[in-house]
């Protein structure tokens, strides 16, 4: 089993490699550092195109080798340059060929430093991948810290596809702590003058108690089927998504786990609308998991 890290030779961003190394410290798996070179498909016997592809491949190989050279020497990292009809297709081909357990990708260069942002490649990948996809925040640096806590963002649709059992299983395998959070956004400005702040707080408190009870019930059912580590159950509330996500606190070694929405095909990743809003506000790496397959 391997961790597949997507390297962009044009952007020279090492963020997905740095996240893959952090995952390797957690799991002990080998890392495949991959650069995908796009070419026409099916292949054409064109001399000019062949020379151009040879040049692009050589440039990608050099950039990838430079990026791998500064990674920790004690970890098993193999550089691979792969030709495919598109970058998302190439990454899926490599994930299948190397039996990857997860694909590590970076954030769009147009996103905020320290936050996760989808680009055109990752947008396509996240809707077609059959294994978990992890996103490194833009500019994510190397760290000696393994993944120490998984935070599952629970929501009604999110657990249709088994977010809680899949994250509990992963936390046990990674020897990481487990936290389950449910976010609520209350636009108090929109209701200014119509709802007393104390009444608004009461609504949130009632919703929080009901949500925590629902999560606890699911956890108790899961404990009948598998060993579940100690769990913290929290609620993140705020007047917007930024405030709600930041309200629960984040540490080095944290990873946020989002579940596929109810529209996801079986065993594939699909990013729902609420999950997309949470993902873009996350200050830590984010995993999007496909539908849970028990056993």
């Amino acid at each position: 089993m391997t961790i597949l890290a997507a390297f962009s030779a044009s952007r020279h961003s090492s963020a997905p490699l740095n996240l893959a190394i952090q995952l390797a410290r957690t799991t002990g798996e080998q890392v495949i550092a991959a650069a995908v070179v796009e070419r026409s498909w099916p292949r054409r016997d064109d001399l000019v195109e062949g020379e151009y592809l040879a040049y692009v491949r050589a440039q990608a190989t050099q950039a990838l080798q430079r990026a791998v050279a500064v990674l920790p020497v004690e970890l098993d990292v193999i550089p691979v340059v792969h030709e495919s009809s598109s970058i998302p297709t190439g990454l899926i081909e490599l994930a299948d060929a190397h039996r990857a357990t997860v694909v590590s990708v970076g954030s769009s260069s147009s996103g905020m430093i320290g936050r996760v942002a989808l680009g055109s490649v990752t947008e396509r990948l996240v809707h077609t991948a059959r294994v978990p996809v992890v996103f490194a925040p833009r500019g994510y640096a190397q760290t000696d810290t393994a993944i120490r806590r998984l935070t599952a963002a629970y929501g009604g649709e999110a657990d249709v596809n088994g977010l809680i059992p899949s994250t509990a299983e992963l936390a046990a395998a990674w020897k990481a702590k487990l936290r389950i959070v449910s976010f609520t956004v209350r636009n108090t400005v929109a209701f200014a003058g119509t709802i007393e702040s104390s009444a608004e707080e009461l609504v949130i408190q009632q919703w929080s108690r009901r949500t925590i009870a629902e999560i606890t019930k699911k956890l108790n059912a899961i404990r009948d089927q598998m060993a579940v580590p100690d769990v913290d159950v929290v609620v993140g509330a705020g007047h917007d998504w930024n405030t709600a996500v930041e309200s629960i606190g984040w540490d080095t070694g944290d990873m946020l786990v989002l579940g596929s929405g109810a529209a996801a095909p079986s065993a594939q990743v699909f990013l729902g609308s609420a999950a997309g809003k949470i993902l873009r506000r996350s200050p830590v790496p984010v995993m999007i998991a496909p539908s849970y397959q028990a056993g």
Side-chain angles (χ1 to χ4, degrees):
M1 296 294 190
T2 59
I3 297 163
L4 179 65
F7 176 76
S8 172
S10 60
R11 288 172 47 203
H12 299 276
S13 171
S14 295
L17 296 181
N18 295 336
L19 178 54
I21 290 300
Q22 186 178 22
L23 289 170
R25 293 188 188 280
T26 306
T27 68
E29 292 175 301
Q30 180 186 71
V31 174
I32 302 294
V36 176
V37 175
E38 292 184 272
R39 64 166 302 148
S40 60
W41 206 266
R43 294 174 183 267
R44 296 183 298 187
D45 189 14
D46 185 300
L47 181 60
V48 174
E49 182 178 308
E51 290 177 349
Y52 173 73
L53 279 173
Y55 169 77
V56 172
R57 187 181 183 102
Q59 293 294 107
T61 300
Q62 292 174 13
L64 181 58
Q65 288 175 340
R66 286 194 296 269
V68 170
V70 299
L71 297 176
V73 295
E74 72 272 13
L75 297 173
D76 188 7
V77 183
I78 299 177
V80 172
V81 177
H82 177 71
E83 293 181 12
S84 185
S85 58
S86 72
I87 294 175
T89 299
L91 291 174
I92 291 172
E93 290 167 349
L94 287 168
D96 290 342
H98 293 279
R99 299 177 62 207
T101 57
V102 65
V103 179
S104 175
V105 297
S107 290
S108 170
S109 58
S110 63
M112 292 176 57
I113 294 292
R115 291 293 185 270
V116 173
L118 298 186
S120 58
V121 170
T122 49
E123 188 80 54
R124 290 170 58 192
L125 178 66
V126 81
H127 288 92
T128 54
R130 292 180 289 273
V131 296
V133 179
V134 292
F135 294 84
R138 188 180 171 205
Y140 195 67
Q142 279 193 44
T143 175
D144 294 333
T145 304
I147 300 298
R148 297 189 296 208
R149 181 171 63 178
L150 297 175
T151 297
Y154 172 83
E157 286 191 355
D159 214 57
V160 167
N161 288 320
L163 175 66
I164 292 180
S166 63
T167 310
E169 196 171 89
L170 193 61
W174 289 5
K175 297 179 173 58
K177 296 178 181 178
L178 176 60
R179 178 171 66 167
I180 300 174
V181 59
S182 192
F183 293 108
T184 179
V185 173
R186 302 285 178 173
N187 189 355
T188 55
V189 174
F191 297 103
T194 62
I195 298 180
E196 294 290 337
S197 59
S198 58
E200 176 70 15
E201 291 172 3
L202 181 61
V203 169
I204 293 175
Q205 289 173 6
Q206 291 175 340
W207 178 86
S208 299
R209 285 195 293 269
R210 187 168 61 249
T211 300
I212 290 172
E214 185 178 316
I215 293 172
T216 302
K217 182 179 179 180
K218 286 184 178 292
L219 284 170
N220 290 337
I222 293 168
R223 285 190 174 99
D224 292 337
Q225 304 169 25
M226 68 174 75
V228 177
D230 292 339
V231 184
D232 290 328
V233 180
V234 297
V235 168
H239 63 272
D240 59 23
W241 285 103
N242 276 326
T243 308
V245 172
E246 291 174 358
S247 69
I248 64 171
W250 300 94
D251 295 320
T252 301
D254 276 351
M255 176 174 283
L256 173 64
V257 185
L258 300 175
S260 292
S266 178
Q268 285 193 1
V269 169
F270 184 89
L271 189 62
S273 59
K277 294 173 183 176
I278 297 167
L279 176 141
R280 290 190 293 272
R281 276 78 177 180
S282 175
V284 299
V286 178
M287 171 185 286
I288 302 178
S291 303
Y292 177 64
Q293 304 293 310

